[in-house]
Amino acid sequence: MTTYAVHHRTIYRYRQPVKLGQHQLLFRPRDSYDQRLLDCRLVIRPEPAEIRWIHDVSGNCLTLVDFDTVSDRLEFDTTIELDHTPENTPDFRIEDYAREHPFAYADSELPDLEPYMRRHHPDDVAVEEWLAKFVAADGRRPTGQLLMTLNEAIAEGFSYQRRTMRGTQTPAETLELQQGTCRDFALLMMEAARALGFAARFITGYVYVADRDGPARLGGGSTHAWCSIYVPGSGWVEFDPTNGIVGNRDLIRVGVARTPQQAIPLWGSYWGEPEDDLGMEVSVNVKTERAPPADQPAATSSTRR
């Protein structure tokens, strides 16, 4: 078991004082068998008029913040601590009927899975053309092997490019550019899986990067995104195509959603002129109390974020 502490700070700056509107945060992880929330703290400057929490349509915990003031600066400072149980290797205990692809989900599960099987960009033929490299039109292939191949193909075949612009590239854009952010790669993996008949969900959270975060607090980090795919017998299996991770190792899951647009870590509004927005600064640091065995040196990570 590993204990993680995540510090996430976002600062908005404005050219002149603006009236702050409602803001929404998605930062509180949901407790599960593989991660248990120990502490959760939120500091907001200037002080809000009201803070309340709700569960969204996917069961994620949303924090809604209302203001009754004007300011030229807005800061959100969040800290979470949790116990995390990593999976060393994916445990593909797949039901007999689903061990080879293609297969059909069980009738009892299909109504709940159908929304996650619908593609975001059904008219993009680029995804099918890319899939043809890995999937024969008339062939069968072990399900777990197929999904791991797609995950690794994105990790090895595309260049990670951090982008400050909001939004997510279409899969066709990612395939054409051969580069993208973690959100772009997650959506491409989801679209590829859905094109093959799988149910897939978008995940937002954090990734621990040993050679970036280490024991000291460092800046320059960001939130992370990956996806999960429903495999009968194994449930929702996590795939991080940015880093080639299968399972939850080094991944801190905060929220899950049907689309990337439903899993934005922080968004809000203000009353003012468009040019009043001077941009934002984001700093994320993930620390861990996990220690290597005494007879082994500490390992470094080449994880991309």
Side-chain angles (χ1 to χ4, degrees):
M1 182 176 293
T2 303
T3 299
Y4 285 118
V6 181
H7 178 248
H8 183 176
R9 176 182 292 157
T10 303
I11 301 174
Y12 294 93
R13 288 187 170 85
Y14 304 95
R15 181 173 55 89
Q16 61 183 347
V18 298
K19 182 179 180 181
L20 302 173
Q22 186 179 86
H23 284 67
Q24 176 178 295
L25 292 87
L26 176 58
F27 79 98
R28 189 187 192 280
R30 292 188 295 183
D31 287 324
S32 186
Y33 67 90
D34 60 348
Q35 61 178 33
R36 181 170 63 90
L37 187 63
L38 302 176
D39 191 22
C40 181
R41 298 186 295 275
L42 170 63
V43 177
I44 304 173
R45 303 180 184 88
E47 186 174 347
E50 182 183 25
I51 300 176
R52 62 192 181 98
W53 290 265
I54 65 171
H55 287 108
D56 69 6
V57 68
S58 298
N60 302 310
C61 182
L62 298 183
T63 307
L64 304 181
V65 183
D66 289 298
F67 298 90
D68 60 1
T69 186
V70 297
S71 178
D72 61 0
R73 175 187 170 105
L74 176 59
E75 179 177 344
F76 295 90
D77 200 302
T78 65
T79 303
I80 58 173
E81 296 179 9
L82 71 163
D83 282 339
H84 185 274
T85 304
E87 296 173 323
N88 292 322
T89 56
D91 186 8
F92 285 123
R93 300 188 182 184
I94 303 176
E95 296 286 351
D96 289 343
Y97 73 88
R99 287 184 177 176
E100 287 194 338
H101 179 272
F103 66 89
Y105 287 120
D107 291 341
S108 59
E109 296 177 324
L110 192 57
D112 299 300
L113 294 175
E114 279 180 338
Y116 300 98
M117 298 170 67
R118 298 189 197 118
R119 294 181 58 183
H120 296 283
H121 305 278
D123 297 329
D124 277 355
V125 297
V127 173
E128 281 80 2
E129 293 173 350
W130 180 71
L131 280 173
K133 302 176 182 178
F134 314 101
V135 183
D138 56 352
R140 299 185 64 84
R141 191 165 182 181
T143 298
Q145 181 188 83
L146 172 60
L147 293 173
M148 287 191 290
T149 297
L150 296 179
N151 193 58
E152 192 65 24
I154 297 174
E156 295 296 329
F158 293 77
S159 174
Y160 175 81
Q161 185 69 43
R162 188 172 181 178
R163 188 175 66 248
T164 57
M165 292 174 55
R166 295 180 176 90
T168 308
Q169 291 176 174
T170 66
E173 290 172 330
T174 301
L175 289 167
E176 180 181 0
L177 296 172
Q178 290 291 292
Q179 67 179 29
T181 67
C182 55
R183 296 177 72 89
D184 302 329
F185 296 153
L187 180 57
L188 173 58
M189 178 79 180
M190 291 168 61
E191 283 291 276
R194 288 174 173 177
L196 295 173
F198 291 98
R201 303 188 303 188
F202 185 86
I203 302 179
T204 184
Y206 303 98
V207 59
Y208 173 68
V209 184
D211 57 359
R212 180 197 71 193
D213 295 308
R217 175 160 291 179
L218 303 174
S222 60
T223 56
H224 191 53
W226 61 102
C227 67
S228 62
I229 296 173
Y230 191 78
V231 180
S234 291
W236 290 102
V237 180
E238 295 181 55
F239 292 87
D240 178 6
T242 302
N243 301 300
I245 298 172
V246 181
N248 70 339
R249 176 167 291 278
D250 293 332
L251 299 174
I252 301 169
R253 185 175 58 254
V254 171
V256 300
R258 183 175 51 83
T259 72
Q261 292 76 20
Q262 294 173 314
I264 299 174
L266 172 60
W267 65 272
S269 62
Y270 70 90
W271 280 269
E273 299 299 326
E275 57 268 22
D276 289 337
D277 183 3
L278 299 180
M280 67 177 181
E281 300 173 12
V282 180
S283 174
V284 173
N285 176 252
V286 185
K287 297 189 297 182
T288 179
E289 295 180 5
R290 177 180 58 195
D295 59 344
Q296 295 184 13
T300 59
S301 171
S302 60
T303 305
R304 296 184 285 176
R305 64 186 187 280

